[in-house]
Amino acid sequence: MDLHFTADEPTAAEISAVDSVLGAAASRWAGGGRGDNEAQTSRGGHGARADRHLLLPVLHAIHGRVGWISPGALNYACRRLHVPPAEAFGVADFYALFSTKPRPPLTARVCDDIACRVRGAEELCARLEADLGPAGEPCRGGEAAWFRSPCLGHCERAPAVLIAESGKRRRECVLAPASAEEVGGHLTRGGAAQAAALPAAVSVPQAGQPQLKLLQRVGRVDPESPDDYRAHGGFAALARARAKGREWVIEQVLRSHLLGRGGAAFPAGRKWQAVAARGGRKYLVCNADESEPGTFKDRVLMEGDPFAVIEAMAIAAFATGCQKGFIYIRGEYPLATARLQHALRAARAAGLLDGGCDIELRRGAGAYICGEETALFNSIEGFRGEPRNKPPYPTDSGLFGRPTLVNNVETLVNVPRIVLAGGDAYAASGTGGSAGPKLFCLSGRVARPGVYEADFGISVRGLIELAGGVSGSGKLQAALVGGAAGAFLSPSELDTPFTFEGMRAVGAAVGSAVVMPFDDTVDLSIILLRIAEFFRDETCGQCVPCRIGAVRQEELLQRLHRGGPLGSTEQEMKLLKEIGQVMRDASICGLGQTASSAVESALDRFPIFR
Amino acid sequence: METNANPDAPDLKIPVPRGPVPDVPRRERAAAVEMTVDGRAVAVPAGATLLDACRQAGVETPTLCYLENLTPVNVCRVCVVELEGSRTLVPACSRKAEAGMSVRTDSERVRLSRRMVLEFLASATDVSTAPELRGYMTEYGAAPDRYGNGSERAATVAQPVKIDNDLYIRDYSKCILCYKCVEACGEDAQNTFAIAVAGRGFDAEISTEYDVPLTESACVYCGNCIGVCPTGALMSKTERDMREAGSWDEARQERTDTICPYCGVGCTLTVHTQEKRIVKVSSPLDQEVTRGHLCIKGRFGWQFVQNIDGGQSPGDERAASENDA
């Protein structure tokens, strides 16, 4: 195709940002200088377009350098990658962390989502508004701005704030828990590169306890040292897998009855088997785009034990014959990103990835939907993060249209255990329908929020007790389980086992294993409104039921909250059910299909808005 | 070549080969896929969709984002059907038929989803120039006022119309985001990629890069986006001007098929005339040559026909100069 560009030219800084990812431009065709005889040559075709998957890394580089995606910078990126500017603009405009309008170089994103909201987020926002002015407006002489943000995945240390500074020395860090003073201090040029490090025990209160399996090394191992990882039993599973052979590994994963921990609970072994059976080029993807409000378990694993993720991926790639792996991590996790990048370099240097599968890390840029596996593929490929229709399933046609094994971080981290202990021994733990150990994310009004590990079978009450019980008034009003796409349980349902079968029985789901209790001083209607707002902001907009349904659901709840229903409250409740049903029945992907689940579960159980 | 088989063929002065002329190898007939639609057995060729099966069973299925000459994107979800064994409803337009499938199109569940999709669209979008969609709304009893009217307005995509060239206008208040124009501008027809979906969620919209005017974009004014637009959001300037003036009247229009006079490709043009004057050109989807897609000349370059009697239509000089280029 012939590309057409506007007259906007890139600045030197923007060119250097793009070149930092792609290398210098080889020719005038790609936006560089004119070479000899270049008038007689052309560049195009599949070869030129094959680098489109670098669009997102290039946009990250531009944004990190100048703080926004300018028309000139986009033109240059498009010349280099042979992408039509209209399409690249559509991609840049899709992600919440990118701006296509000039924006101050210093930004603070303040999480005001449900977990932070019941732990001081609104008070923090009020302070910032007093100190810096309204959200979204430039402050400090146009140098800085602060924004409200959906869940940043640091719920155990609420309230959380993501700081970013663009420039030659790009800076990103998360303050959690954050104070207005700290945020103000970080919103200065060349501020502290990192937030004060908190001990691992803050995020993992059980750290160091001997019964831990998935969290065994978190807080005990140096996350930056492959030798320390090895000294703590690391890489033994990879060696054993290679010694036993790929069929044996897949057999163990099948026998383990490991179900996917990302939310859909699909048997991991069946995915592995399906991908292993396919020939040709195959991909392995680790889904680290954990963005479900109230979820932070994968972050804790990646920050505390990054080599475990890489070892598990190496085993998966070996067993299924994938030649290339990707880790897609959400853009709001700077520390986990740095740790994984370091671990990847170290593992590569130590020859641990030898044998054909290299692993690359890709960062998201603020889009909940990209945790949906097919949206994630589109995002890696350099397209808008819109889900694909299924079938075909990823095991047949996934990343770049090839068979793809995609597993969540926690699912993968179970694999070394299965390889070491054997599938049967693994299957013996947990319950009949839910094998193995499980990580749970406790946040909201609990005494000791954090990631907790327990074998499947523990009840919701047991988990809340593990976390020191309900805080605030101490009297539980409701518990959100599974995430914003999950369900609210009433105090009478607390003895439900937190298993796939137990949750199904009460109309809930394991989801991302969120347990978020609210004591009786919390106004649940505010929580419901925030959930509805979350889905309105995070729907990709592709299909009608979700794009418009999420907006209509939020408008309806706002009307009820204001006490001004259209017609009667009963009519509104009936309408809400119908909105929920079309989203559940007719949306393309899981986001729309579950966007009404928590709201409906709460209205079924509690007399909110009545 | 069948010239030798026709006894009436003129003498072409080309020697006819002796002996039997080989037959064209027969195409392997696709194996039939047997399934049921609303209890009725149908057989469709392998690779056919559930929409094909529904049509074969004589079941009317509403569609908005689907068009025969475009790759199905299954985003509007108005064609959803109930597939036995599936947790959710499935889009008929893109889901491939498989042997033994059992599909219901008349269930309460299907009707509810279709009605809600139509209500959602009509509550957010100006559907005044979308007769097909309005027809479906009547059929399914859609009541968009349920989401607010009068003082309590539901959010809409209302915005000023974009008029930045003499050939066509973009009125995104009428856009239901069916992706058809993006497909026609891109891989499915024109390979120009002047427009794409930008933004996200309810704020997603069709846009050039940074919303620059079409005249600064890659647009080549083929108008294939107009040809596929189901709601009149994209409309030729001529039609828009006549509608504004109140003189557009489809009941008084005639359609005449002809062949485009410009080049040797031979696209079929459907010439829409009102009071013996051309007001619009379209192309039938089943046209063999380019399947309903045209170029700037065929779609907009018809003013010379009416210049014979000295008449002027809006946009004609511009179209003529673009043609020369």
Side-chain angles (χ1 to χ4, degrees):
Chain A
M1 71 191 113
D2 292 328
L3 298 184
H4 176 280
F5 297 95
T6 57
D8 303 287
E9 293 291 336
T11 64
E14 289 163 346
I15 291 176
S16 80
V18 175
D19 290 356
S20 73
V21 179
L22 301 176
S27 76
R28 175 78 184 145
W29 291 101
R34 189 182 294 281
D36 294 339
N37 296 326
E38 205 173 278
Q40 278 76 45
T41 61
S42 183
R43 179 176 167 271
H46 289 291
R49 293 200 297 272
D51 287 341
R52 175 153 184 165
H53 64 99
L54 293 171
L55 181 58
L56 194 52
V58 163
L59 293 175
H60 264 300
I62 297 169
H63 214 275
R65 183 68 183 80
V66 296
W68 69 295
I69 313 284
S70 75
L74 190 85
N75 276 350
Y76 182 63
C78 288
R79 277 186 212 278
R80 296 296 315 275
L81 295 171
H82 222 76
V83 175
E87 284 199 359
F89 177 76
V91 172
D93 209 27
F94 184 83
Y95 296 99
L97 294 185
F98 292 153
S99 176
T100 53
K101 298 186 181 80
R103 178 190 278 174
L106 284 158
T107 57
R109 291 175 180 278
V110 183
C111 177
D112 70 348
D113 217 320
I114 45 178
C116 285
R117 184 159 295 212
V118 295
R119 297 185 84 91
E122 280 308 307
E123 293 75 6
L124 178 58
C125 286
R127 277 289 310 277
L128 291 176
E129 197 162 327
D131 294 355
L132 303 169
E137 298 293 325
C139 57
R140 301 209 158 153
E143 282 281 280
W146 73 280
F147 304 88
R148 286 172 178 264
S149 165
C151 182
L152 292 171
H154 288 69
C155 324
E156 84 281 18
R157 289 154 33 190
V161 176
L162 173 67
I163 301 284
E165 178 181 352
S166 58
K168 261 187 182 159
R169 263 191 68 244
R170 184 178 185 175
R171 179 164 67 98
E172 281 172 300
C173 63
V174 172
L175 312 176
S179 67
E181 289 72 28
E182 250 183 307
V183 174
H186 274 269
L187 283 185
T188 48
R189 286 285 203 167
Q194 281 299 331
L198 288 176
V202 173
S203 295
V204 183
Q206 296 167 309
Q209 291 180 11
Q211 85 284 5
L212 295 180
K213 296 162 187 164
L214 304 172
L215 296 173
Q216 56 175 330
R217 280 181 292 263
V218 175
R220 295 174 57 213
V221 76
D222 175 1
E224 305 201 336
S225 163
D227 295 331
D228 202 31
Y229 177 68
R230 196 186 295 276
H232 283 82
F235 299 123
L238 179 58
R240 180 168 161 91
R242 284 180 174 158
K244 291 280 194 178
R246 43 191 57 169
E247 286 81 12
W248 181 86
V249 175
I250 291 176
E251 175 70 18
Q252 299 313 307
V253 178
L254 276 168
R255 293 171 84 115
S256 73
H257 297 290
L258 172 65
L259 301 183
R261 307 298 201 229
F266 191 83
R270 283 195 14 225
K271 269 192 199 175
W272 286 42
Q273 200 176 28
V275 173
R278 302 294 304 261
R281 192 157 179 79
K282 295 181 278 197
Y283 293 96
L284 166 67
V285 174
C286 169
N287 186 345
D289 195 55
E290 143 182 284
S291 311
E292 186 71 37
T295 312
F296 45 93
K297 61 188 174 65
D298 294 346
R299 191 202 88 233
V300 164
L301 281 174
M302 292 186 286
E303 286 178 358
D305 198 7
F307 286 100
V309 180
I310 290 161
E311 182 182 8
M313 287 184 75
I315 295 171
F318 164 74
T320 56
C322 293
Q323 295 94 336
K324 170 97 191 175
F326 286 93
I327 303 174
Y328 186 93
I329 187 169
R330 70 178 297 197
E332 293 87 343
Y333 282 179
L335 181 59
T337 303
R339 293 257 163 94
L340 276 175
Q341 248 154 3
H342 178 274
L344 274 173
R345 272 194 302 272
R348 221 175 274 137
L352 291 164
L353 298 181
D354 291 355
C357 179
D358 193 35
I359 297 171
E360 223 180 290
L361 186 78
R362 291 296 173 89
R363 295 185 70 188
Y368 170 68
I369 186 60
C370 288
E372 198 282 337
E373 55 193 15
T374 58
L376 189 157
F377 299 153
N378 279 342
S379 181
I380 291 182
E381 290 179 27
F383 292 87
R384 290 165 58 81
E386 294 173 353
R388 304 171 184 170
N389 212 56
K390 290 187 267 191
Y393 293 97
T395 49
D396 289 327
S397 173
L399 189 60
F400 301 111
R402 300 298 311 165
T404 303
L405 175 66
V406 51
N407 278 138
N408 155 272
V409 172
E410 185 191 345
T411 313
L412 284 167
V413 169
N414 274 282
V415 168
R417 285 210 65 75
I418 292 168
V419 169
L420 289 176
D424 292 334
Y426 182 94
S429 59
T431 67
S434 312
K438 179 77 189 93
L439 300 183
F440 298 92
C441 308
L442 278 101
S443 64
R445 291 279 167 91
V446 282
R448 285 190 303 277
V451 175
Y452 288 84
E453 179 180 321
D455 277 354
F456 266 123
I458 188 167
S459 67
V460 179
R461 185 190 305 281
L463 286 163
I464 294 174
E465 279 166 6
L466 211 51
V470 178
S471 64
S473 74
K475 192 160 177 296
L476 184 77
Q477 177 180 192
L480 178 65
V481 294
F488 283 90
L489 298 185
S490 67
S492 65
E493 294 166 297
L494 284 195
D495 291 316
T496 313
F498 208 124
T499 57
F500 294 107
E501 61 276 21
M503 284 293 140
R504 213 175 296 128
V506 294
V510 167
S512 55
V514 165
V515 179
M516 202 185 293
F518 299 100
D519 68 281
D520 61 357
T521 64
V522 174
D523 181 354
L524 277 191
S525 64
I526 300 289
I527 301 298
L528 291 195
L529 285 174
R530 185 63 186 90
I531 290 174
E533 186 190 335
F534 176 82
F535 285 110
R536 184 202 66 193
D537 289 346
E538 294 298 334
T539 167
C540 76
Q542 189 183 197
C543 70
V544 175
C546 181
R547 177 178 78 236
I548 305 181
V551 174
R552 296 293 175 255
Q553 173 176 268
E554 201 229 349
E555 288 172 344
L556 194 154
L557 293 182
Q558 290 285 3
R559 288 197 296 268
L560 293 178
H561 182 62
R562 283 201 312 271
L566 279 173
S568 66
T569 302
E570 282 60 47
Q571 270 172 301
E572 293 276 42
M573 290 293 176
K574 181 170 170 280
L575 185 56
L576 191 70
K577 289 268 174 210
E578 292 190 2
I579 294 172
Q581 191 175 337
V582 65
M583 285 203 278
R584 196 161 43 248
D585 272 352
S587 295
I588 291 179
C589 79
L591 189 155
Q593 289 161 13
T594 56
S596 65
S597 146
V599 169
E600 288 191 57
S601 73
L603 295 179
D604 286 346
R605 286 172 170 84
F606 309 106
I608 311 169
F609 302 127
R610 283 172 203 270
Chain B
M1 296 290 280
E2 293 177 45
T3 47
N4 62 330
N6 184 351
D8 299 329
D11 180 10
L12 297 176
K13 303 241 164 57
I14 297 172
V16 175
R18 259 183 245 164
V21 176
D23 284 337
V24 174
R26 280 173 60 126
R27 192 178 295 231
E28 198 73 36
R29 270 200 64 169
V33 173
E34 291 178 13
M35 54 172 290
T36 65
V37 175
D38 293 337
R40 270 166 284 178
V42 290
V44 291
T49 61
L50 297 185
L51 182 63
D52 297 325
C54 290
R55 286 180 174 172
Q56 190 159 322
V59 175
E60 288 278 333
T61 308
T63 60
L64 290 169
C65 71
Y66 173 82
L67 206 60
E68 282 73 0
N69 59 0
L70 301 174
T71 312
V73 288
N74 51 254
V75 298
C76 78
R77 317 302 279 187
V78 80
C79 72
V80 287
V81 296
E82 199 167 342
L83 171 65
E84 197 176 277
S86 170
R87 181 172 51 87
T88 58
L89 302 178
V90 302
C93 68
S94 66
R95 186 61 181 262
K96 295 269 187 290
E98 291 167 35
M101 274 183 170
S102 169
V103 162
R104 297 225 72 92
T105 70
D106 57 352
S107 68
E108 207 32 61
R109 212 174 145 206
V110 169
R111 287 192 66 86
L112 176 104
S113 272
R114 291 180 178 178
R115 172 168 61 79
M116 293 297 284
V117 162
L118 295 164
E119 272 182 4
F120 281 172
L121 287 174
S123 70
T125 324
D126 171 2
V127 295
S128 59
T129 52
E132 208 176 17
L133 195 155
R134 289 157 68 93
Y136 297 147
M137 285 175 64
T138 312
E139 190 182 333
Y140 286 90
D145 281 355
R146 297 205 290 163
Y147 307 93
N149 48 24
S151 61
E152 189 73 47
R153 287 283 299 167
T156 69
V157 296
Q159 57 184 291
V161 58
K162 291 183 199 296
I163 306 179
D164 53 18
N165 68 88
D166 297 333
L167 295 180
Y168 72 101
I169 63 101
R170 296 175 291 153
D171 187 355
Y172 290 131
S173 304
K174 296 177 175 174
C175 176
I176 59 167
L177 218 64
C178 69
Y179 288 57
K180 280 174 171 171
C181 56
V182 176
E183 291 200 285
C185 188
E187 277 177 1
D188 278 347
Q190 198 61 29
N191 275 286
T192 290
F193 301 94
I195 47 171
V197 181
R200 191 169 79 190
F202 196 73
D203 298 328
E205 59 182 2
I206 309 297
S207 176
T208 58
E209 61 273 23
Y210 297 91
D211 200 21
V212 297
L214 286 177
T215 46
E216 286 176 39
S217 78
C219 179
V220 295
Y221 306 95
C222 63
N224 287 327
C225 53
I226 308 175
V228 298
C229 181
T231 61
L234 304 173
M235 192 179 271
S236 75
K237 183 80 166 32
T238 318
E239 177 176 343
R240 156 90 182 177
D241 290 346
M242 288 178 72
R243 282 180 184 270
E244 289 287 290
S247 56
W248 180 264
D249 184 0
E250 269 171 40
R252 288 191 291 147
Q253 289 174 9
E254 274 182 72
R255 296 175 177 214
T256 313
D257 282 3
T258 182
I259 301 294
C260 180
Y262 279 102
C263 78
V265 170
C267 303
T268 305
L269 304 183
T270 301
V271 179
H272 303 236
T273 50
Q274 185 174 324
E275 270 116 45
K276 305 284 180 203
R277 295 184 61 83
I278 300 174
V279 292
K280 175 175 159 178
V281 165
S282 63
S283 182
L285 294 186
D286 57 357
Q287 180 231 121
E288 290 183 333
V289 186
T290 54
R291 309 219 169 272
H293 300 305
L294 297 173
C295 74
I296 183 173
K297 300 179 190 181
R299 196 176 301 273
F300 296 115
W302 39 264
Q303 284 78 7
F304 72 93
V305 178
Q306 348 209 102
N307 280 352
I308 292 167
D309 58 14
Q312 285 280 319
S313 290
D316 49 3
E317 291 108 10
R318 171 63 189 277
S321 65
E322 294 262 347
N323 297 345
D324 294 342

